[in-house]
Amino acid sequence: MVTSGAVGVGRQRLRYRKLVNSSFADLQKPQVELDGKACASVGQSGLMALYDMLFTQLDVSSSQLLVTDSDFENSKFRERLSETVESLLDLKVVPIFNENDAISTRKAPYEDSSGIFWDNDSLAGLLALELKADLLILLSDVDGLYSGPPSEPSSKIIHTYIKEKHHYEITFGDKSRVGRGGMTAKVKAAVLASNSGTPVVITSGFENQSILKVLQGAKIGTLFHKNASLWEPSKDVSAREMAVAARDCSRRLQNLSSEERKKILLDVADALEANEDLIRSENEADVAAAQDAGYEKPLVARLTIKSGKIASLAKSIRTLANMEDPINQILKKTEVADDLVLEKTSCPLGVLLIVFESRPDALVQIASLAIRSGNGLLLKGGKEAIRSNTILHKVITGAIPCNVGEKLIGLVTTRDEIADLLKLDDVIDLVIPRGSNKLVSQIKASTKIPVLGHADGICHVYIDKSADMDMAKRIVMDAKIDYPAACNAMETLLVHKDLLRTPDLDDILVALKTEGVDIYGGPIAHKALGFPKASSFHHEYSSMACTIEFVDDVQSAIDHIHCYGSAHTDCIITTDGKVAETFLQQVDSAAVFHNASTRFSDGARFGLGAEVGISTGRIHARGPVGVEGLLTTRWILRGRGQVVNGDKDVVYTHKSLPLQ
Amino acid sequence: MVTSGAVGVGRQRLRYRKLVNSSFADLQKPQVELDGKACASVGQSGLMALYDMLFTQLDVSSSQLLVTDSDFENSKFRERLSETVESLLDLKVVPIFNENDAISTRKAPYEDSSGIFWDNDSLAGLLALELKADLLILLSDVDGLYSGPPSEPSSKIIHTYIKEKHHYEITFGDKSRVGRGGMTAKVKAAVLASNSGTPVVITSGFENQSILKVLQGAKIGTLFHKNASLWEPSKDVSAREMAVAARDCSRRLQNLSSEERKKILLDVADALEANEDLIRSENEADVAAAQDAGYEKPLVARLTIKSGKIASLAKSIRTLANMEDPINQILKKTEVADDLVLEKTSCPLGVLLIVFESRPDALVQIASLAIRSGNGLLLKGGKEAIRSNTILHKVITGAIPCNVGEKLIGLVTTRDEIADLLKLDDVIDLVIPRGSNKLVSQIKASTKIPVLGHADGICHVYIDKSADMDMAKRIVMDAKIDYPAACNAMETLLVHKDLLRTPDLDDILVALKTEGVDIYGGPIAHKALGFPKASSFHHEYSSMACTIEFVDDVQSAIDHIHCYGSAHTDCIITTDGKVAETFLQQVDSAAVFHNASTRFSDGARFGLGAEVGISTGRIHARGPVGVEGLLTTRWILRGRGQVVNGDKDVVYTHKSLPLQ
């Protein structure tokens, strides 16, 4: 351990001592700055006492080793020093080094930077080499080395320093403010030490347990390694590079004609069919590995690419290819003024990041949607499907022509990379997680990129007193049982209070029980019918279970849904048109149904074609989302030289024009 | 100061001591747990040595005061204790209290909770009262008292504890996991102490400088005060309550008929006119105060509500009232199956938070837009316009009928509240900052709520070699000079290299110079024409300055814009239709113009009616945004009892129906 702080501690003490020893007359005189060496001498003992105390708390002994620059000129000293440190380490004693400022021949500590070492960073570097350290950690007040001043949003932390690549960048940043916290000195020491064979990590001393994290291999701070430039491709740059490449390719894709984009899709479909054997054998390997690893049956089923699946995927890609082109459509056309025509056109969002679990066929669907909509795509699949995803990715990108570039679709393979990608809110435009609620929540919590998805699906069915009870039974059973793990399955059954203890309602409850549904009760249902109490109304079972509660009327059903629901899909069953309309107009959820199962809340069933996902967010897209969720717009204005000039020169007409 | 830790420190030391003194035979026997009192006795001296060392670093002396429960039974002891502490404080010595565990009559520390105090929290509470402390700070390992387990996203920190309000909540949370970190004991001690007159703050000991922050009045941790329940309205609950109330009111507003919403707007217009004198006199007070405070002229000008302004605001509100209702419009209608009809309808986003600077008329425009679109609204204006905003808010909400509720529009008055509001991503749907780039960037950085706005407006004008140079001059001058501070003003002028040193280009440059525009050069322009070097191409001057650079052709202009622009508004000047289309199709910005000034990039000029803002985001809305940016959609499905049943029962037709 190399420590700083002796001069600071000493200066504090000496100031006090000086004050105490001064007469009032002394204090009238101009005060001379305290001698740095005296401060170091006084401070060193206090500093060591502090370390001793702190290490003693951990039942560790510490030792003091004060060295000067000139000591290192003596090769015998170097040998002896190594021996001394070895002995201390054998005894499990922590050696604490500092420059012996008080007796060094330097004029003043911290000012003279000549010699073999000149500050604690260079001393640390020197000692790392002398003592053949396995790793040198330099603690700073910032998280590591940044490409520019750390306070600027455009500055990015450099996780692996590569001289050829970062030297210019950093020199530039240095001139502005990277120097803060002595980063220049640290980088200099780190480059020297790493070039001589000791890897170095610069990280924050303020981050909780940063030393332990570095030792555990966490990607924090900046790593210096003499072979870093040979690592290929350096992982910490690849996330950003992947995203930027996908954006560049997507711009070229967008510039193709609609026919050319269509052709790519048809080529992808052909390539999938041509490589069916290869794809299925890779998939079989994944399936076998999953079975060996004891994965649950449903997961293995989702993982499996069944016979005929490739053909059906190819068929749906061809359907997509023949769809109307979703991009470069004119959505709105306005004559702003004479010969000044404004168009609002559809265009791709840019770069999408899709995180999906198991199902390798999702990769194919998403990739073809991205191609159709002109978007770049980064894909992260589950590790259980790695071989299937890799081959599918290879086959698909192989069909992308070079005038677009195969980097249009990137496959992300490690968890590390996904964390890096989620930070790239300047390059990635939308994240679409397709998987468990947990996955969606985790991603939402860890990124500033907009996320299209639904964390919760707490769907309600409300049976009004006027309901056709046969229909109610049919819908309730379907909403709960058709696919209990789906987000659009019923979680809470609300029932008009007049239906309590009626044979029709009892019939529904018995039917649920018979099918194996566990029924929990809200306070009223618990008391009246003795169902076990539900832990919370805001609960998604995602299994063969539901909550039941009684409400006074449609208004209290609506209030209940607003209070405890997740604004996904809610349904009323009633024959009373007025009550139905009240429910349909007032329930503030993405999808609101009258006399139809909540299970219809789905892109395919809604007729949206390919489904991108279901969104419970209110921004951009809501409910089941088709390809329009992957699009944004551009405004295109064509004039003949008009200027604004304080709005004096233009006569605005703002006339709506036909779209043709 | 009351400290813990003696037993822990002592146990660590004694374990080691015991090990050292054990024979191998001893170690074979079952090990007895160390005596807590012995641990406390050993640990207390080490603990005090540590405090002494740490305080000495700060040149402060500390003292040890060990007390037992029974001491406090003696009233003379209490008196003497106060006197002792007084003397210590007079000498600027920090008294450090701990229970004298080693000699207390308790059976074991930390287990016996009888007596006058029973742990360090209750000791702290007791001492606060005995010593008549001004404030008691209890440090925890969490940020304060939460409504539930701190790790759950639904748990909210309680900034001010109000017994009547929080007691139930916390008891509930306690049963799950709030107890962690000894929160129950802390709350008990805090309630006791605060009821007896010493305010208490529970906050994190891990947060940097938390004690200083509490003393500076920062809103961290949880405050306990005996009069807290009388404070009205308690500020820390009001942010959430305001947002929730706005949402409730907006739901009622949405349920009104279109005519009723129209009537509210007409009433608002009437109310503004009826209160014109009052509004103007309040505004004059703001203006006078701003002048006295030495605000800059443009700010004072923006602050002033000029004669005739109220009338013109009222007029524009009436225009808005007569517009087609933007909500409850059917945007898409599909027959999903026989008698199963799906509608996609427009509906309000929910609750908007608008942060605006100076212009009080913005409040009126935004409030009327919110009413028209059925949204709830929280407004935060600049403090220089506080009286104007307050009266405008009062007049407008006064015109909102009780069946909606005046809380539809909330006025936020303190900076504190805005920080709280930005955390409410579960209740607020969209933040629209209207003001400086700095304001927008700050807000984007500090919230998870989607932000509609533009941080940068680095707009380019590219003059192609085929440009009509008279037109180029007109457009360039307008784009830079019409309103240099606007986000749609030109910041970079790109010129085809063939135009270098042509009289027409020189003419444009001279004209810019003559108007007082400072011209900076990119590398080529700097070298060729001697303009001072621009610091960066990614720079928004927002003033009478711009960068000029030469490019090879339209493709390199496009690449330059993609590399350095901010995707706001970019313009090409050319007479070559093919070149123009290349630019229009490829430039990936919100607005792309051909032969028209960038200054047209504006909601009003685009004919969008009221402008909500200009978005450089790609999600939800892009470029100038009208009222559609305040809307989302709902899916409404009407059936006759259809169920999904594995898609076996339904014949999907997916027929598009007319919207009527």
Side-chain angles (χ1 to χ4, degrees):
Chain A
M1 176 162 163
V2 176
T3 185
S4 304
V7 174
V9 168
R11 180 167 287 133
Q12 173 70 31
R13 290 197 170 185
L14 282 182
R15 274 206 191 125
Y16 173 74
R17 190 52 47 207
K18 204 175 159 194
L19 185 70
V20 166
N21 294 338
S22 298
S23 67
F24 286 111
D26 288 340
L27 291 174
Q28 303 303 312
K29 297 177 204 153
Q31 300 295 302
V32 191
E33 189 46 43
L34 291 163
D35 175 33
K37 293 190 177 188
C39 292
S41 168
V42 170
Q44 184 64 30
S45 63
L47 194 64
M48 286 314 300
L50 179 61
Y51 278 118
D52 193 51
M53 185 58 60
L54 292 172
F55 275 115
T56 303
Q57 304 301 318
L58 303 169
D59 207 7
V60 170
S61 296
S62 58
S63 65
Q64 176 183 258
L65 291 159
L66 295 178
V67 295
T68 60
D69 188 73
S70 56
D71 292 337
F72 282 90
E73 286 164 14
N74 182 341
S75 65
K76 283 208 178 129
F77 161 80
R78 294 178 173 217
E79 277 167 41
R80 276 201 310 274
L81 181 68
S82 289
E83 286 165 21
T84 310
V85 171
E86 285 290 332
S87 323
L88 287 168
L89 292 177
D90 281 347
L91 293 161
K92 310 281 178 212
V93 171
V94 178
I96 301 181
F97 282 90
N98 198 355
E99 180 166 11
N100 196 347
D101 289 319
I103 62 132
S104 95
T105 54
R106 281 190 218 287
K107 216 167 158 206
Y110 297 147
E111 281 166 29
D112 179 355
S113 66
S114 62
I116 297 175
F117 69 88
W118 48 89
D119 58 15
N120 281 318
D121 293 315
S122 54
L123 174 58
L126 180 61
L127 287 169
L129 301 184
E130 286 296 326
L131 307 172
K132 297 186 184 56
D134 296 312
L135 177 69
L136 169 61
I137 302 178
L138 296 172
L139 296 177
S140 163
D141 61 351
V142 292
D143 289 337
L145 177 63
Y146 279 77
S147 59
S151 55
E152 276 193 15
S154 62
S155 300
K156 307 287 168 197
I157 193 163
I158 296 167
H159 279 305
T160 308
Y161 178 87
I162 295 168
K163 200 188 166 189
E164 297 70 23
K165 197 166 155 180
H166 296 126
H167 190 64
Y168 170 74
E169 235 179 324
I170 289 150
T171 310
F172 179 82
D174 201 6
K175 276 182 195 154
S176 35
R177 261 174 51 214
V178 149
R180 208 191 105 203
M183 191 48 83
T184 317
K186 288 195 169 47
V187 170
K188 209 166 160 186
V191 168
L192 276 170
S194 61
N195 282 345
S196 309
T198 299
V200 181
V201 174
I202 300 181
T203 188
S204 168
F206 290 108
E207 184 171 328
N208 214 357
Q209 305 199 305
S210 51
I211 297 179
L212 283 182
K213 284 181 189 162
V214 168
L215 296 183
Q216 285 158 359
K219 195 155 114 190
I220 61 168
T222 303
L223 173 66
F224 294 72
H225 190 287
K226 67 172 171 179
N227 295 335
S229 62
L230 305 178
W231 298 349
E232 235 263 292
S234 169
K235 263 190 197 161
D236 64 300
V237 287
S238 75
R240 172 167 292 272
E241 281 178 355
M242 264 174 101
V244 169
R247 180 179 291 280
D248 289 345
C249 295
S250 80
R251 284 182 173 149
R252 289 193 289 271
L253 175 64
Q254 192 185 348
N255 289 335
L256 300 185
S257 69
S258 184
E259 277 306 305
E260 287 170 304
R261 272 192 300 277
K262 177 176 165 178
K263 171 141 196 317
I264 299 177
L265 284 173
L266 296 175
D267 289 349
V268 167
D270 293 346
L272 285 171
E273 288 182 333
N275 290 283
E276 173 158 10
D277 290 348
L278 187 54
I279 294 167
R280 291 199 56 199
S281 80
E282 289 295 297
N283 180 249
E284 279 158 17
D286 276 339
V287 170
Q291 279 164 337
D292 287 353
Y295 279 102
E296 283 173 24
K297 264 197 175 162
L299 188 141
V300 175
R302 284 200 296 276
L303 181 59
T304 311
I305 299 179
K306 293 199 195 85
S307 146
K309 185 73 194 174
I310 295 291
S312 88
L313 283 171
K315 191 181 157 208
S316 67
I317 294 173
R318 292 189 182 107
T319 309
L320 196 62
N322 291 313
M323 259 178 60
E324 192 186 15
D325 195 337
I327 64 170
N328 299 327
Q329 295 288 328
I330 300 172
L331 307 174
K332 191 171 163 179
K333 195 165 178 175
T334 311
E335 184 197 83
V336 171
D338 193 30
D339 271 346
L340 189 63
V341 175
L342 180 69
E343 286 175 0
K344 189 179 188 178
T345 65
S346 64
C347 71
L349 273 180
V351 178
L352 316 172
L353 168 62
I354 319 277
V355 186
F356 60 104
E357 289 173 340
S358 15
R359 310 194 84 103
D361 49 322
L363 186 152
V364 180
Q365 285 165 4
I366 294 161
S368 28
L369 265 175
I371 295 171
R372 198 64 187 108
S373 57
N375 282 290
L377 181 63
L378 302 174
L379 287 160
K380 170 73 177 80
K383 70 171 190 301
E384 67 286 350
I386 182 124
R387 292 182 66 165
S388 315
N389 289 339
T390 304
I391 184 68
L392 286 169
H393 175 254
K394 199 175 161 192
V395 168
I396 292 171
T397 52
I400 297 174
C402 353
N403 61 349
V404 171
E406 61 178 18
K407 288 185 176 170
L408 178 73
I409 302 175
L411 186 67
V412 179
T413 48
T414 72
R415 280 181 76 82
D416 255 21
E417 279 172 303
I418 183 86
D420 286 338
L421 285 165
L422 288 175
K423 289 177 199 153
L424 301 177
D425 58 328
D426 54 336
V427 205
I428 297 175
D429 299 291
L430 189 68
V431 183
I432 308 179
R434 294 184 63 149
S436 65
N437 298 356
K438 201 180 140 202
L439 175 79
V440 181
S441 304
Q442 277 176 348
I443 286 179
K444 282 197 173 183
S446 55
T447 186
K448 298 214 102 187
I449 307 171
V451 178
L452 192 154
H454 55 283
D456 288 315
I458 303 171
C459 301
H460 298 76
V461 173
Y462 165 59
I463 309 179
D464 192 56
K465 65 176 172 183
S466 68
D468 168 340
M469 292 301 281
D470 283 339
M471 183 194 287
K473 183 174 171 187
R474 214 160 56 233
I475 291 180
V476 166
M477 298 304 284
D478 188 68
K480 182 70 257 181
I481 292 167
D482 187 49
Y483 189 178
C487 60
N488 56 14
M490 177 188 83
E491 303 297 342
T492 304
L493 175 62
L494 297 175
V495 182
H496 193 287
K497 62 173 190 216
D498 291 359
L499 297 172
L500 178 60
R501 295 204 190 83
T502 56
D504 284 337
L505 178 64
D506 292 348
D507 183 39
I508 294 176
L509 299 178
V510 167
L512 283 169
K513 285 262 176 209
T514 309
E515 290 288 339
V517 176
D518 294 327
I519 304 179
Y520 296 88
I524 302 171
H526 164 69
K527 210 170 160 191
L529 302 177
F531 291 117
K533 227 172 171 171
S535 63
S536 162
F537 279 128
H538 186 78
H539 183 71
E540 187 174 4
Y541 295 98
S542 298
S543 65
M544 289 288 270
C546 69
T547 303
I548 177 172
E549 184 58 319
F550 293 90
V551 292
D552 287 348
D553 53 14
V554 66
Q555 195 58 54
S556 74
I558 294 169
D559 292 343
H560 182 107
I561 291 168
H562 285 165
C563 186
Y564 300 109
S566 66
H568 189 294
T569 300
D570 299 294
C571 162
I572 185 172
I573 306 169
T574 180
T575 57
D576 183 332
K578 221 180 129 204
V579 168
E581 285 310 308
T582 301
F583 189 89
L584 292 177
Q585 293 314 316
Q586 292 194 23
V587 171
D588 189 12
S589 297
V592 197
F593 294 177
H594 173 214
N595 288 353
S597 168
T598 54
R599 291 276 300 130
F600 281 107
S601 195
D602 169 276
R605 295 187 187 113
F606 272 16
L608 303 180
E611 182 182 271
V612 168
I614 296 184
S615 168
T616 52
R618 303 170 73 94
I619 295 295
H620 189 63
R622 197 172 183 208
V625 182
V627 73
E628 80 280 2
L630 305 184
L631 303 177
T632 182
T633 56
R634 289 190 314 143
W635 295 95
I636 292 180
L637 183 70
R638 291 179 176 90
R640 50 160 178 73
Q642 289 91 339
V643 295
V644 167
N645 189 20
D647 288 322
K648 284 178 294 218
D649 291 6
V650 187
V651 181
Y652 292 101
T653 53
H654 291 146
K655 198 161 60 189
S656 191
L657 297 176
L659 303 182
Q660 295 152 341
Chain B
M1 177 163 164
V2 176
T3 186
S4 304
V7 174
V9 169
R11 178 167 288 132
Q12 172 70 27
R13 292 197 171 188
L14 282 181
R15 274 206 189 124
Y16 174 74
R17 188 54 45 207
K18 201 175 164 195
L19 186 68
V20 168
N21 294 337
S22 298
S23 68
F24 287 111
D26 289 340
L27 291 175
Q28 304 301 314
K29 297 176 202 154
Q31 300 297 302
V32 189
E33 189 48 40
L34 290 163
D35 174 32
K37 293 191 178 187
C39 293
S41 170
V42 169
Q44 184 63 31
S45 63
L47 194 63
M48 286 315 298
L50 179 61
Y51 277 118
D52 195 48
M53 184 58 59
L54 292 171
F55 275 116
T56 302
Q57 304 301 321
L58 303 170
D59 206 8
V60 169
S61 297
S62 59
S63 65
Q64 175 182 258
L65 292 158
L66 295 178
V67 295
T68 60
D69 189 73
S70 56
D71 292 335
F72 283 90
E73 286 163 14
N74 181 341
S75 66
K76 282 211 180 127
F77 161 80
R78 293 177 175 219
E79 276 167 42
R80 274 201 312 273
L81 182 67
S82 289
E83 285 164 18
T84 310
V85 171
E86 284 290 332
S87 322
L88 287 168
L89 292 177
D90 281 347
L91 293 163
K92 311 282 177 211
V93 172
V94 177
I96 300 181
F97 283 89
N98 197 356
E99 180 167 12
N100 196 348
D101 289 320
I103 61 131
S104 95
T105 53
R106 282 190 216 289
K107 213 165 160 209
Y110 300 143
E111 282 167 28
D112 179 355
S113 66
S114 62
I116 298 176
F117 70 89
W118 48 88
D119 58 14
N120 282 318
D121 294 315
S122 55
L123 173 57
L126 179 60
L127 287 169
L129 301 183
E130 285 297 327
L131 307 172
K132 298 184 181 59
D134 297 312
L135 177 69
L136 170 61
I137 303 177
L138 296 172
L139 297 178
S140 163
D141 61 351
V142 291
D143 289 337
L145 176 62
Y146 279 76
S147 58
S151 55
E152 277 195 11
S154 63
S155 300
K156 306 290 168 194
I157 191 162
I158 295 167
H159 280 305
T160 308
Y161 178 86
I162 295 169
K163 199 185 167 188
E164 297 71 22
K165 195 166 156 180
H166 295 124
H167 190 64
Y168 169 73
E169 240 179 318
I170 290 150
T171 310
F172 179 83
D174 200 5
K175 276 182 193 152
S176 33
R177 262 172 50 212
V178 148
R180 204 192 106 200
M183 192 48 82
T184 317
K186 287 194 170 46
V187 170
K188 208 167 163 189
V191 167
L192 276 172
S194 62
N195 282 345
S196 311
T198 299
V200 181
V201 174
I202 299 180
T203 188
S204 168
F206 289 108
E207 183 170 328
N208 213 356
Q209 304 201 305
S210 52
I211 296 178
L212 283 181
K213 284 181 189 163
V214 168
L215 296 182
Q216 285 159 359
K219 196 155 114 189
I220 60 169
T222 303
L223 173 66
F224 293 73
H225 190 286
K226 68 171 171 181
N227 295 335
S229 61
L230 304 177
W231 300 346
E232 234 263 289
S234 170
K235 264 191 197 158
D236 64 298
V237 287
S238 75
R240 172 167 291 273
E241 281 178 357
M242 265 174 101
V244 169
R247 181 179 290 280
D248 289 344
C249 294
S250 80
R251 282 179 174 153
R252 289 193 290 270
L253 176 64
Q254 191 186 347
N255 289 335
L256 299 186
S257 70
S258 184
E259 277 305 306
E260 288 170 304
R261 270 190 302 277
K262 177 176 165 179
K263 176 152 190 311
I264 299 177
L265 283 174
L266 296 176
D267 290 348
V268 167
D270 293 346
L272 285 171
E273 287 182 334
N275 289 284
E276 172 158 11
D277 291 346
L278 188 55
I279 294 167
R280 291 201 54 201
S281 79
E282 289 295 298
N283 180 247
E284 279 157 19
D286 276 340
V287 170
Q291 279 163 339
D292 287 352
Y295 278 103
E296 284 173 24
K297 263 195 174 165
L299 187 141
V300 175
R302 285 200 296 277
L303 181 59
T304 311
I305 299 179
K306 294 203 195 80
S307 146
K309 186 72 196 175
I310 296 291
S312 87
L313 284 171
K315 192 182 156 206
S316 68
I317 294 172
R318 291 190 183 108
T319 309
L320 196 63
N322 291 314
M323 261 178 58
E324 194 189 13
D325 195 336
I327 63 172
N328 297 328
Q329 295 287 330
I330 300 171
L331 307 174
K332 191 172 163 180
K333 196 165 178 176
T334 311
E335 186 198 84
V336 172
D338 193 31
D339 272 344
L340 189 62
V341 175
L342 180 68
E343 286 175 0
K344 188 179 188 179
T345 65
S346 63
C347 72
L349 273 181
V351 177
L352 317 172
L353 168 62
I354 319 277
V355 186
F356 60 105
E357 290 174 339
S358 13
R359 310 194 84 104
D361 49 322
L363 185 153
V364 179
Q365 286 165 1
I366 294 162
S368 27
L369 265 174
I371 295 171
R372 198 65 188 108
S373 58
N375 281 290
L377 181 63
L378 303 175
L379 288 160
K380 169 75 177 77
K383 71 172 189 301
E384 66 287 350
I386 181 127
R387 292 181 66 166
S388 317
N389 289 339
T390 306
I391 184 68
L392 286 169
H393 175 255
K394 199 175 162 192
V395 168
I396 293 171
T397 51
I400 298 174
C402 349
N403 62 347
V404 172
E406 58 177 21
K407 287 185 178 171
L408 178 72
I409 302 176
L411 186 66
V412 178
T413 49
T414 71
R415 281 181 76 82
D416 256 21
E417 280 172 301
I418 183 88
D420 286 338
L421 285 166
L422 289 174
K423 288 177 200 150
L424 301 177
D425 58 326
D426 54 336
V427 204
I428 297 175
D429 300 291
L430 189 67
V431 184
I432 308 180
R434 295 184 62 149
S436 65
N437 297 357
K438 202 181 138 198
L439 175 80
V440 180
S441 304
Q442 277 175 349
I443 286 179
K444 282 197 172 181
S446 54
T447 186
K448 296 213 104 187
I449 308 171
V451 177
L452 191 153
H454 55 284
D456 289 315
I458 302 172
C459 301
H460 298 75
V461 173
Y462 165 59
I463 309 179
D464 193 55
K465 64 176 172 181
S466 69
D468 170 339
M469 292 301 281
D470 284 338
M471 183 195 285
K473 184 176 171 186
R474 217 160 53 233
I475 291 179
V476 166
M477 298 303 286
D478 189 69
K480 182 70 258 181
I481 293 167
D482 188 51
Y483 190 177
C487 59
N488 56 15
M490 177 188 84
E491 303 296 342
T492 303
L493 176 61
L494 297 174
V495 182
H496 193 285
K497 62 173 188 214
D498 291 358
L499 297 172
L500 178 61
R501 296 205 189 83
T502 57
D504 285 338
L505 179 63
D506 291 348
D507 184 39
I508 294 176
L509 300 178
V510 167
L512 284 169
K513 284 264 176 204
T514 308
E515 289 287 341
V517 175
D518 295 327
I519 304 178
Y520 296 89
I524 302 170
H526 165 67
K527 211 171 159 191
L529 301 177
F531 290 118
K533 226 169 170 174
S535 62
S536 161
F537 280 128
H538 186 78
H539 183 70
E540 186 174 5
Y541 295 98
S542 297
S543 65
M544 289 287 269
C546 70
T547 303
I548 178 172
E549 184 58 318
F550 293 91
V551 293
D552 286 349
D553 54 14
V554 66
Q555 195 57 55
S556 74
I558 294 168
D559 292 345
H560 182 108
I561 291 168
H562 285 165
C563 187
Y564 300 109
S566 66
H568 188 293
T569 301
D570 299 293
C571 163
I572 185 172
I573 306 170
T574 181
T575 56
D576 183 330
K578 223 182 128 202
V579 168
E581 285 310 307
T582 302
F583 190 89
L584 292 177
Q585 292 315 316
Q586 293 195 22
V587 171
D588 189 14
S589 297
V592 197
F593 293 179
H594 174 213
N595 290 351
S597 168
T598 54
R599 292 275 300 129
F600 281 108
S601 194
D602 170 276
R605 297 190 186 112
F606 272 16
L608 304 180
E611 183 184 272
V612 168
I614 296 184
S615 167
T616 52
R618 303 170 73 95
I619 294 295
H620 188 61
R622 196 174 184 209
V625 182
V627 72
E628 81 279 4
L630 306 184
L631 303 177
T632 182
T633 55
R634 290 191 313 145
W635 295 96
I636 292 180
L637 183 69
R638 292 180 175 89
R640 49 159 179 73
Q642 289 91 338
V643 296
V644 167
N645 190 20
D647 289 321
K648 284 178 291 216
D649 290 7
V650 187
V651 180
Y652 292 101
T653 54
H654 292 147
K655 196 161 58 187
S656 191
L657 297 176
L659 303 182
Q660 293 153 343

